[in-house]
Protein backbone atom coordinates (compact mmCIF):
# COMPACT_ATOMS: atom_id res chain seq x y z
CA UNK A 1 0.00 0.00 0.00
CA UNK A 2 1.77 3.14 -1.20
CA UNK A 3 -0.89 5.78 -0.57
CA UNK A 4 -2.05 7.30 2.70
CA UNK A 5 -5.13 5.10 2.82
CA UNK A 6 -3.66 3.13 5.69
CA UNK A 7 -4.16 6.24 7.84
CA UNK A 8 -7.90 6.55 7.23
CA UNK A 9 -8.79 5.94 10.85
CA UNK A 10 -6.04 8.19 12.24
CA UNK A 11 -6.28 11.94 12.63
CA UNK A 12 -3.40 13.65 10.87
CA UNK A 13 -2.48 16.01 13.70
CA UNK A 14 0.62 17.43 12.03
CA UNK A 15 -1.29 18.38 8.90
CA UNK A 16 -4.06 19.93 11.03
CA UNK A 17 -1.50 22.04 12.87
CA UNK A 18 0.23 23.14 9.66
CA UNK A 19 -3.02 24.18 8.04
CA UNK A 20 -4.07 26.16 11.11
CA UNK A 21 -0.64 27.81 11.19
CA UNK A 22 -0.98 29.03 7.61
CA UNK A 23 -4.37 30.56 8.38
CA UNK A 24 -3.17 32.28 11.56
CA UNK A 25 -0.12 33.67 9.73
CA UNK A 26 -2.63 35.86 7.92
CA UNK A 27 -2.52 38.12 11.00
CA UNK A 28 1.16 39.18 10.78
CA UNK A 29 0.96 39.20 6.99
CA UNK A 30 -1.92 41.67 6.78
CA UNK A 31 -0.54 43.74 9.66
CA UNK A 32 2.77 44.06 7.79
CA UNK A 33 1.13 44.94 4.45
CA UNK A 34 -0.14 48.17 6.04
CA UNK A 35 3.47 49.41 5.94
CA UNK A 36 4.53 47.80 2.67
CA UNK A 37 6.45 49.76 0.07
CA UNK A 38 5.16 47.51 -2.70
CA UNK A 39 1.43 47.44 -1.97
CA UNK A 40 -1.20 50.05 -1.25
CA UNK A 41 -3.48 47.93 0.90
CA UNK A 42 -7.07 48.73 1.83
CA UNK A 43 -5.75 50.45 4.97
CA UNK A 44 -2.30 51.83 4.23
CA UNK A 45 0.01 53.83 6.48
CA UNK A 46 2.01 56.75 5.03
CA UNK A 47 4.95 55.48 7.10
CA UNK A 48 6.60 52.61 5.25
CA UNK A 49 9.13 49.99 6.34
CA UNK A 50 11.57 48.03 4.19
CA UNK A 51 11.79 45.33 6.88
CA UNK A 52 8.01 44.86 7.00
CA UNK A 53 7.85 44.96 3.21
CA UNK A 54 10.28 42.04 3.01
CA UNK A 55 8.50 40.24 5.86
CA UNK A 56 5.11 40.48 4.14
CA UNK A 57 6.55 39.36 0.80
CA UNK A 58 8.30 36.43 2.46
CA UNK A 59 5.17 35.21 4.25
CA UNK A 60 3.21 35.51 1.03
CA UNK A 61 5.62 33.21 -0.84
CA UNK A 62 4.76 30.12 1.22
CA UNK A 63 1.71 30.83 3.41
CA UNK A 64 -1.05 30.36 0.85
CA UNK A 65 0.88 27.73 -1.15
CA UNK A 66 1.10 25.74 2.07
CA UNK A 67 -2.56 26.21 2.84
CA UNK A 68 -3.73 25.17 -0.62
CA UNK A 69 -1.38 22.19 -0.65
CA UNK A 70 -2.98 20.91 2.54
CA UNK A 71 -6.44 21.82 1.25
CA UNK A 72 -5.73 19.61 -1.76
CA UNK A 73 -4.47 16.80 0.48
CA UNK A 74 -7.53 16.83 2.76
CA UNK A 75 -9.86 17.29 -0.21
CA UNK A 76 -8.47 14.24 -1.98
CA UNK A 77 -8.56 12.20 1.22
CA UNK A 78 -12.22 12.98 1.91
CA UNK A 79 -13.21 12.72 -1.75
CA UNK A 80 -11.64 9.28 -1.89
CA UNK A 81 -13.69 8.21 1.12
CA UNK A 82 -17.06 9.76 0.31
CA UNK A 83 -17.39 9.85 -3.47
CA UNK A 84 -17.71 12.87 -5.74
CA UNK A 85 -21.34 13.94 -5.24
CA UNK A 86 -21.58 13.42 -1.47
CA UNK A 87 -18.24 15.10 -0.86
CA UNK A 88 -19.01 18.09 -3.10
CA UNK A 89 -22.34 18.68 -1.35
CA UNK A 90 -20.51 18.77 1.97
CA UNK A 91 -17.85 21.12 0.61
CA UNK A 92 -20.35 23.55 -0.89
CA UNK A 93 -22.21 23.69 2.43
CA UNK A 94 -19.20 24.04 4.71
CA UNK A 95 -17.39 26.56 2.54
CA UNK A 96 -20.38 28.29 0.96
CA UNK A 97 -22.24 29.11 4.17
CA UNK A 98 -19.32 30.98 5.84
CA UNK A 99 -18.64 32.69 2.52
CA UNK A 100 -22.24 33.90 2.32
CA UNK A 101 -22.50 35.22 5.87
CA UNK A 102 -19.00 36.70 5.93
CA UNK A 103 -19.79 38.52 2.69
CA UNK A 104 -23.06 39.87 4.07
CA UNK A 105 -21.90 40.73 7.60
CA UNK A 106 -18.12 41.26 7.60
CA UNK A 107 -17.34 42.73 4.19
CA UNK A 108 -19.70 45.76 4.38
CA UNK A 109 -18.10 46.71 7.71
CA UNK A 110 -14.65 46.42 6.14
CA UNK A 111 -15.63 48.58 3.21
CA UNK A 112 -16.93 51.27 5.57
CA UNK A 113 -13.74 51.20 7.68
CA UNK A 114 -11.64 51.42 4.51
CA UNK A 115 -13.37 54.66 3.53
CA UNK A 116 -12.96 56.02 7.06
CA UNK A 117 -9.22 55.29 6.81
CA UNK A 118 -9.04 57.36 3.63
CA UNK A 119 -10.61 60.28 5.49
CA UNK A 120 -8.30 59.85 8.50
CA UNK A 121 -5.14 59.98 6.39
CA UNK A 122 -6.49 63.00 4.47
CA UNK A 123 -7.00 61.30 1.10
CA UNK A 124 -10.69 62.29 0.97
CA UNK A 125 -12.72 64.93 2.85
CA UNK A 126 -14.64 63.61 5.87
CA UNK A 127 -17.78 65.22 4.50
CA UNK A 128 -17.65 62.88 1.51
CA UNK A 129 -17.64 59.71 3.64
CA UNK A 130 -21.37 58.85 3.47
CA UNK A 131 -21.38 59.11 -0.31
CA UNK A 132 -18.15 57.16 -0.70
CA UNK A 133 -19.34 54.37 1.58
CA UNK A 134 -22.65 54.17 -0.26
CA UNK A 135 -20.92 54.08 -3.64
CA UNK A 136 -18.56 51.28 -2.58
CA UNK A 137 -21.34 49.21 -1.01
CA UNK A 138 -23.49 49.49 -4.13
CA UNK A 139 -20.72 48.53 -6.57
CA UNK A 140 -19.33 45.00 -6.80
CA UNK A 141 -15.55 44.92 -6.95
CA UNK A 142 -12.42 43.70 -5.20
CA UNK A 143 -13.46 45.12 -1.78
CA UNK A 144 -16.43 42.74 -1.84
CA UNK A 145 -14.04 39.81 -2.29
CA UNK A 146 -11.26 40.98 0.05
CA UNK A 147 -9.76 38.18 2.18
CA UNK A 148 -12.62 35.85 1.24
CA UNK A 149 -11.05 35.26 -2.17
CA UNK A 150 -9.56 31.98 -0.96
CA UNK A 151 -13.05 30.58 -0.30
CA UNK A 152 -14.20 31.44 -3.83
CA UNK A 153 -11.06 29.83 -5.22
CA UNK A 154 -11.23 26.79 -2.96
CA UNK A 155 -14.84 26.13 -3.94
CA UNK A 156 -13.86 26.30 -7.63
CA UNK A 157 -10.95 23.90 -7.06
CA UNK A 158 -13.22 21.49 -5.19
CA UNK A 159 -15.73 21.51 -8.03
CA UNK A 160 -12.94 20.74 -10.48
CA UNK A 161 -11.61 17.91 -8.32
CA UNK A 162 -15.08 16.39 -7.97
CA UNK A 163 -15.53 16.52 -11.75
CA UNK A 164 -12.22 14.70 -12.24
CA UNK A 165 -13.28 12.07 -9.72
CA UNK A 166 -16.60 11.58 -11.52
CA UNK A 167 -14.95 11.38 -14.95
CA UNK A 168 -12.45 8.82 -13.66
CA UNK A 169 -15.32 6.80 -12.17
CA UNK A 170 -13.84 6.82 -8.71
CA UNK A 171 -10.30 5.91 -9.76
CA UNK A 172 -8.72 9.37 -9.46
CA UNK A 173 -6.51 8.46 -6.50
CA UNK A 174 -5.11 5.43 -8.30
CA UNK A 175 -4.50 7.48 -11.43
CA UNK A 176 -2.67 10.16 -9.45
CA UNK A 177 -0.55 7.53 -7.75
CA UNK A 178 0.32 6.05 -11.16
CA UNK A 179 1.22 9.54 -12.40
CA UNK A 180 3.67 10.05 -9.52
CA UNK A 181 5.26 6.68 -10.30
CA UNK A 182 5.57 7.65 -13.98
CA UNK A 183 7.25 10.94 -13.05
CA UNK A 184 9.71 9.05 -10.83
CA UNK A 185 10.57 6.74 -13.73
CA UNK A 186 10.90 9.61 -16.24
CA UNK A 187 12.59 12.37 -14.26
CA UNK A 188 14.35 14.14 -17.13
CA UNK A 189 11.29 14.18 -19.37
CA UNK A 190 9.10 15.29 -16.47
CA UNK A 191 11.46 18.12 -15.53
CA UNK A 192 11.57 19.30 -19.15
CA UNK A 193 7.78 19.23 -19.35
CA UNK A 194 7.54 21.14 -16.07
CA UNK A 195 9.94 23.80 -17.36
CA UNK A 196 7.94 24.12 -20.58
CA UNK A 197 4.71 24.55 -18.64
CA UNK A 198 6.33 27.22 -16.45
CA UNK A 199 7.54 29.04 -19.58
CA UNK A 200 4.03 28.94 -21.03
CA UNK A 201 2.57 30.17 -17.74
CA UNK A 202 5.09 33.03 -17.61
CA UNK A 203 4.21 34.02 -21.17
CA UNK A 204 0.47 33.93 -20.53
CA UNK A 205 0.92 35.90 -17.31
CA UNK A 206 2.75 38.65 -19.19
CA UNK A 207 -0.03 38.87 -21.76
CA UNK A 208 -2.84 38.90 -19.18
CA UNK A 209 -1.17 41.51 -16.96
CA UNK A 210 -0.33 43.72 -19.97
CA UNK A 211 -3.98 43.61 -21.06
CA UNK A 212 -5.22 44.68 -17.61
CA UNK A 213 -2.63 45.32 -14.87
CA UNK A 214 -5.16 45.40 -12.01
CA UNK A 215 -7.59 42.64 -13.00
CA UNK A 216 -4.90 40.68 -14.80
CA UNK A 217 -2.86 40.34 -11.65
CA UNK A 218 -6.00 39.38 -9.74
CA UNK A 219 -6.79 36.60 -12.23
CA UNK A 220 -3.23 35.29 -12.02
CA UNK A 221 -3.12 35.43 -8.23
CA UNK A 222 -6.46 33.69 -7.82
CA UNK A 223 -5.54 30.82 -10.13
CA UNK A 224 -1.87 30.14 -9.46
CA UNK A 225 -2.65 28.12 -6.32
CA UNK A 226 -4.17 25.31 -8.35
CA UNK A 227 -0.58 24.06 -8.69
CA UNK A 228 -0.27 23.58 -4.93
CA UNK A 229 -3.83 22.25 -4.56
CA UNK A 230 -3.04 19.62 -7.19
CA UNK A 231 0.27 18.80 -5.52
CA UNK A 232 -1.60 18.24 -2.26
CA UNK A 233 -3.89 15.74 -3.99
CA UNK A 234 -0.76 13.96 -5.26
CA UNK A 235 0.72 13.92 -1.75
CA UNK A 236 -2.34 12.10 -0.43
CA UNK A 237 -2.28 9.64 -3.33
CA UNK A 238 1.40 8.72 -3.03
CA UNK A 239 3.08 7.48 0.13
CA UNK A 240 6.45 8.23 -1.48
CA UNK A 241 5.51 11.86 -2.11
CA UNK A 242 4.02 12.17 1.38
CA UNK A 243 7.26 10.94 2.96
CA UNK A 244 9.29 13.22 0.70
CA UNK A 245 7.32 16.28 1.84
CA UNK A 246 8.12 15.43 5.47
CA UNK A 247 11.86 15.10 4.83
CA UNK A 248 13.22 18.68 4.32
CA UNK A 249 15.52 19.93 7.09
CA UNK A 250 17.12 23.28 7.88
CA UNK A 251 19.34 23.21 4.77
CA UNK A 252 16.27 22.75 2.57
CA UNK A 253 14.56 25.64 4.39
CA UNK A 254 17.55 27.92 3.71
CA UNK A 255 17.49 26.88 0.05
CA UNK A 256 13.76 27.58 -0.05
CA UNK A 257 14.24 31.06 1.40
CA UNK A 258 16.96 31.75 -1.17
CA UNK A 259 14.75 30.59 -4.04
CA UNK A 260 11.67 32.59 -3.02
CA UNK A 261 13.91 35.64 -2.53
CA UNK A 262 15.26 35.21 -6.06
CA UNK A 263 11.71 34.88 -7.34
CA UNK A 264 11.03 38.46 -6.18
CA UNK A 265 13.75 39.97 -8.39
CA UNK A 266 12.31 41.91 -11.37
CA UNK A 267 12.65 40.05 -14.66
CA UNK A 268 13.69 41.44 -18.04
CA UNK A 269 12.79 38.63 -20.44
CA UNK A 270 10.81 35.39 -20.74
CA UNK A 271 13.72 33.22 -19.66
CA UNK A 272 14.19 35.10 -16.40
CA UNK A 273 10.44 35.16 -15.83
CA UNK A 274 10.32 31.38 -16.31
CA UNK A 275 13.20 30.86 -13.88
CA UNK A 276 11.39 33.06 -11.36
CA UNK A 277 8.25 30.93 -11.64
CA UNK A 278 10.26 27.73 -11.14
CA UNK A 279 12.17 29.26 -8.20
CA UNK A 280 8.93 30.40 -6.55
CA UNK A 281 7.34 26.96 -6.80
CA UNK A 282 10.34 24.95 -5.59
CA UNK A 283 11.16 27.52 -2.91
CA UNK A 284 7.62 27.43 -1.52
CA UNK A 285 7.57 23.62 -1.52
CA UNK A 286 10.90 23.46 0.33
CA UNK A 287 9.68 25.87 3.02
CA UNK A 288 6.33 24.10 3.31
CA UNK A 289 8.16 20.77 3.53
CA UNK A 290 10.37 22.08 6.33
CA UNK A 291 7.33 23.33 8.26
CA UNK A 292 5.62 19.99 7.65
CA UNK A 293 8.63 18.06 8.97
CA UNK A 294 8.71 20.22 12.11
CA UNK A 295 4.98 19.75 12.61
CA UNK A 296 5.29 15.99 12.12
CA UNK A 297 8.10 15.85 14.66
CA UNK A 298 6.57 18.06 17.35
CA UNK A 299 2.81 17.96 16.74
CA UNK A 300 2.23 14.46 15.43
CA UNK A 301 0.22 13.46 18.49
CA UNK A 302 -2.99 14.80 19.96
CA UNK A 303 -2.42 18.01 21.90
CA UNK A 304 -5.17 19.99 23.61
CA UNK A 305 -3.60 23.39 22.90
CA UNK A 306 -3.00 22.55 19.26
CA UNK A 307 -6.57 21.29 19.01
CA UNK A 308 -7.81 24.67 20.26
CA UNK A 309 -5.69 26.44 17.64
CA UNK A 310 -7.01 24.17 14.89
CA UNK A 311 -10.62 24.72 15.98
CA UNK A 312 -10.14 28.48 16.18
CA UNK A 313 -8.06 29.05 13.04
CA UNK A 314 -10.88 29.44 10.51
CA UNK A 315 -12.87 31.89 12.63
CA UNK A 316 -9.66 33.78 13.39
CA UNK A 317 -8.97 34.11 9.68
CA UNK A 318 -12.45 35.39 8.91
CA UNK A 319 -12.43 38.05 11.64
CA UNK A 320 -8.79 39.11 11.88
CA UNK A 321 -9.18 41.12 8.68
CA UNK A 322 -11.80 43.64 9.92
CA UNK A 323 -9.98 43.82 13.27
CA UNK A 324 -6.74 44.81 11.51
CA UNK A 325 -8.70 47.34 9.40
CA UNK A 326 -9.87 49.04 12.59
CA UNK A 327 -6.51 48.88 14.36
CA UNK A 328 -4.65 50.09 11.26
CA UNK A 329 -7.05 53.03 10.95
CA UNK A 330 -6.58 53.96 14.61
CA UNK A 331 -2.81 53.91 14.24
CA UNK A 332 -3.09 56.48 11.47
CA UNK A 333 -3.82 58.92 14.31
CA UNK A 334 -0.50 58.29 16.08
CA UNK A 335 3.12 58.53 15.04
CA UNK A 336 5.15 55.51 16.19
CA UNK A 337 7.84 53.54 14.36
CA UNK A 338 6.19 51.18 11.84
CA UNK A 339 7.69 48.07 13.46
CA UNK A 340 6.24 49.05 16.85
CA UNK A 341 2.81 49.72 15.36
CA UNK A 342 2.97 46.43 13.47
CA UNK A 343 3.81 44.49 16.66
CA UNK A 344 0.92 46.06 18.60
CA UNK A 345 -1.54 45.49 15.75
CA UNK A 346 -0.50 41.86 15.16
CA UNK A 347 -0.60 40.86 18.84
CA UNK A 348 -3.85 42.73 19.54
CA UNK A 349 -5.52 41.32 16.43
CA UNK A 350 -4.52 37.82 17.49
CA UNK A 351 -6.09 38.12 20.93
CA UNK A 352 -9.18 39.92 19.67
CA UNK A 353 -9.77 37.41 16.87
CA UNK A 354 -9.45 34.52 19.31
CA UNK A 355 -11.93 36.24 21.63
CA UNK A 356 -14.36 36.48 18.73
CA UNK A 357 -13.82 32.75 18.08
CA UNK A 358 -14.72 31.98 21.70
CA UNK A 359 -17.91 34.02 21.35
CA UNK A 360 -18.83 32.34 18.06
CA UNK A 361 -18.15 28.87 19.45
CA UNK A 362 -20.70 29.44 22.22
CA UNK A 363 -23.52 29.78 19.70
CA UNK A 364 -24.71 26.93 17.51
CA UNK A 365 -26.18 29.42 15.04
CA UNK A 366 -22.99 31.51 14.84
CA UNK A 367 -20.88 28.36 14.46
CA UNK A 368 -23.08 27.28 11.57
CA UNK A 369 -22.94 30.73 9.98
CA UNK A 370 -19.20 31.27 10.19
CA UNK A 371 -17.83 27.71 10.22
CA UNK A 372 -20.42 25.76 8.27
CA UNK A 373 -20.55 23.26 11.13
CA UNK A 374 -23.61 21.90 12.91
CA UNK A 375 -22.99 21.53 16.64
CA UNK A 376 -24.52 18.43 18.12
CA UNK A 377 -25.83 18.38 21.64
CA UNK A 378 -23.46 17.91 24.53
CA UNK A 379 -23.82 14.35 25.88
CA UNK A 380 -25.67 14.07 29.16
CA UNK A 381 -23.80 12.88 32.22
CA UNK A 382 -24.02 9.09 32.31
CA UNK A 383 -22.11 6.38 34.14
CA UNK A 384 -18.99 5.19 32.29
CA UNK A 385 -20.58 1.80 31.70
CA UNK A 386 -23.51 3.29 29.80
CA UNK A 387 -22.90 4.26 26.20
CA UNK A 388 -25.02 6.95 24.58
CA UNK A 389 -24.46 6.64 20.82
CA UNK A 390 -24.87 9.64 18.58
CA UNK A 391 -24.76 12.34 21.27
CA UNK A 392 -21.31 13.85 20.96
CA UNK A 393 -20.24 17.40 20.42
CA UNK A 394 -19.08 17.52 16.81
CA UNK A 395 -16.64 20.36 16.32
CA UNK A 396 -14.97 19.76 12.99
CA UNK A 397 -12.86 22.21 11.05
CA UNK A 398 -14.63 23.84 8.12
CA UNK A 399 -11.99 22.34 5.84
CA UNK A 400 -12.51 18.74 6.90
CA UNK A 401 -15.20 16.47 5.57
Amino acid sequence: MTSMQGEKTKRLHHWDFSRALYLVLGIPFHAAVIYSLNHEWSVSSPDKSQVLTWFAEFLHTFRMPGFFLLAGLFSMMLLDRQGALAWLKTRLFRLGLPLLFATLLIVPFQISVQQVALAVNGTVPASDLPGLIGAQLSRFGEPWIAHLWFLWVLIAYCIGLAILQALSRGTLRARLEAFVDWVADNRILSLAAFAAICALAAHVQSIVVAASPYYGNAVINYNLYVTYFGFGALVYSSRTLNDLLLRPGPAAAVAGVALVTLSQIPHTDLLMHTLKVIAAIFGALLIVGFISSLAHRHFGQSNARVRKLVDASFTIYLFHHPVIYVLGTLFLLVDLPPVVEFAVIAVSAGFMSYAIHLAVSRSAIATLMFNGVRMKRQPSRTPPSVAVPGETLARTSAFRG
Side-chain angles (χ1 to χ4, degrees), residues 18-43:
S18 298
R19 183 177 52 188
L21 174 65
Y22 294 130
L23 287 173
V24 173
L25 282 177
I27 295 175
F29 169 72
H30 287 120
V33 170
I34 295 175
Y35 307 94
S36 174
L37 290 161
N38 297 338
H39 299 283
E40 283 296 320
W41 198 48
S42 302
V43 176

Side-chain angles (χ1 to χ4, degrees), residues 93-111:
F93 182 84
R94 292 199 170 181
L95 298 177
L97 207 60
L99 174 59
L100 173 63
F101 283 102
T103 300
L104 293 176
L105 301 177
I106 295 177
V107 172
F109 174 76
Q110 289 187 164
I111 292 175

Side-chain angles (χ1 to χ4, degrees), residues 123-341:
T123 303
V124 299
S127 58
D128 292 348
L129 272 180
L132 289 172
I133 293 174
Q136 288 293 327
L137 290 176
S138 61
R139 183 191 310 120
F140 180 79
E142 192 279 334
W144 275 102
I145 299 174
H147 66 306
L148 303 180
W149 67 268
F150 85 102
L151 286 174
W152 290 99
V153 170
L154 189 55
I155 288 172
Y157 291 175
C158 288
I159 292 173
L161 192 63
I163 291 173
L164 290 177
Q165 176 77 330
L167 292 176
S168 68
R169 298 182 180 180
T171 64
L172 181 58
R173 182 198 59 78
R175 291 172 183 264
L176 292 177
E177 184 178 4
F179 173 74
V180 173
D181 292 339
W182 183 88
V183 169
D185 294 335
N186 300 271
R187 292 182 179 87
I188 296 178
L189 178 60
S190 299
L191 187 59
F194 175 73
I197 293 172
C198 287
L200 178 61
H203 181 61
V204 170
Q205 179 180 356
S206 299
I207 295 175
V208 172
V209 172
S212 176
Y214 180 80
Y215 291 103
N217 273 310
V219 169
I220 296 296
N221 291 333
Y222 292 159
N223 287 280
L224 64 87
Y225 296 106
V226 69
T227 301
Y228 304 101
F229 185 84
F231 188 79
L234 291 173
V235 169
Y236 168 74
S237 302
S238 169
R239 166 62 68 181
T240 300
L241 206 55
N242 175 75
D243 293 341
L244 187 64
L245 187 64
L246 297 176
R247 187 179 301 170
V254 171
V257 172
L259 287 172
V260 297
T261 301
L262 289 174
S263 70
Q264 304 300 316
I265 298 176
H267 58 274
T268 56
D269 52 36
L270 180 60
L271 175 60
M272 291 302 299
H273 194 177
T274 301
L275 292 177
K276 281 180 53 179
V277 171
I278 295 174
I281 293 174
F282 278 108
L285 291 178
L286 286 174
I287 296 174
V288 169
F290 176 64
I291 293 173
S292 299
S293 67
L294 288 179
H296 187 259
R297 189 178 310 125
H298 299 289
F299 302 104
Q301 303 299 322
S302 179
N303 182 296
R305 291 182 178 179
V306 172
R307 185 68 250 160
K308 289 181 179 179
L309 173 66
V310 171
D311 288 341
S313 60
F314 185 58
T315 310
I316 287 175
Y317 188 86
L318 286 184
F319 285 95
H320 85 278
H321 214 249
V323 170
I324 290 179
Y325 269 44
V326 172
L327 293 175
T329 301
L330 292 175
F331 270 97
L332 293 175
L333 300 172
V334 300
D335 186 18
L336 295 173
V339 174
V340 174
E341 293 186 5

